[in-house]
Amino acid sequence: MDIAVTTLVERIARTLAGLDHSANGAGSETSAATSVDETWRAYLAQADAVLRTIREPSGAMSAAGDPAIWSAMLDAAIAESETV
């Protein structure tokens, strides 16, 4: 399994920025990489809200794996987000 080199909150923030800037989302840029690099930090509060929202697993998620592990991983991602 691959391990990410960036924090989960940064990856979420970059995705949100990409949705706003890219023509593949709500934006108009055909290549939004530079805009995303310049603006992703402005999306950190929204990304943190996403992390806190998905902290509790759904019934289907709990059936697929250990919900305590999921919660622990999200708690770690939230703690890590405070250092970004």
Side-chain angles (χ1 to χ4, degrees), residues 47-82:
D48 186 64
V50 169
L51 285 176
R52 292 174 189 280
T53 299
I54 64 172
R55 179 186 283 168
E56 296 176 356
S58 68
M61 293 166 66
S62 293
D66 186 343
I69 292 173
W70 174 264
S71 293
M73 293 174 78
L74 264 290
D75 286 342
I78 290 167
E80 186 177 52
S81 75
E82 296 169 0

Side-chain angles (χ1 to χ4, degrees), residues 27-42:
S28 60
E29 298 176 41
T30 56
S31 179
T34 300
S35 294
V36 169
D37 286 343
E38 293 172 351
T39 64
W40 69 268
R41 289 184 177 276

